[in-house]
Amino acid sequence: AALRQGERLIVKVAGGNDQGRTLPLVVDDALPAGYEIEMTLGPDDAQHGPFRFLGQLSQTTAEESRDDRFVAAMNAPGGRGFAVAYVARAVTPGDFYLPGAEARDMYHPSLFAHTEGRRTKIAPVG
């Protein structure tokens, strides 16, 4: 909820597919103003090295670190969970709205889930 300018955070978006079939899923996590994505994390990052605490991350078919959001596409197996993650940095001081993340079936827009939005603050250095 509150960071200092220059601090990093790891964002993990996780959910589950309760359908009895594999879903072609898109995860769209909009960034609040004041943040930038530094790097995306994949299954290998979560199995080795300092990101092991994230647990298993899903294999994606595509990932994009855009200026205003993180987007990933995957085939989410039925009855199983999924998770994606990235590292973001607080770059601009201020009070910003943090939109919620959304996961949706690429071909059936009525199948979706989203998290609630909230406020986040970035304090200036010093």
Side-chain angles (χ1 to χ4, degrees):
L3 293 174
R4 287 208 170 280
Q5 187 177 15
E7 289 183 330
R8 294 184 194 133
L9 67 143
I10 297 170
V11 179
K12 180 179 178 182
V13 179
N17 174 6
D18 293 336
Q19 299 291 310
R21 62 183 176 87
T22 296
L23 293 178
L25 193 69
V26 172
V27 176
D28 185 343
D29 190 22
L31 288 174
Y35 289 82
E36 290 180 356
I37 295 175
E38 284 198 344
M39 65 184 287
T40 61
L41 301 173
D44 288 342
D45 297 312
Q47 290 177 355
H48 310 287
F51 301 107
R52 284 189 302 239
F53 67 90
L54 288 171
Q56 185 174 352
L57 295 178
S58 301
Q59 185 67 46
T60 60
T61 55
E63 284 183 3
E64 288 186 22
S65 299
R66 298 181 182 172
D67 288 342
D68 66 339
R69 67 190 60 245
F70 168 81
V71 181
M74 70 186 77
N75 292 312
R80 296 188 44 202
F82 63 87
V84 293
Y86 60 92
V87 177
R89 180 186 295 270
V91 293
T92 306
D95 182 2
F96 306 104
Y97 179 70
L98 172 63
E102 182 178 287
R104 63 185 174 275
D105 184 317
M106 282 191 252
Y107 304 110
H108 299 96
S110 61
L111 293 176
F112 71 95
H114 62 89
T115 62
E116 290 186 28
R118 65 180 92 122
R119 306 293 307 176
T120 181
K121 292 182 181 185
I122 300 174
V125 174

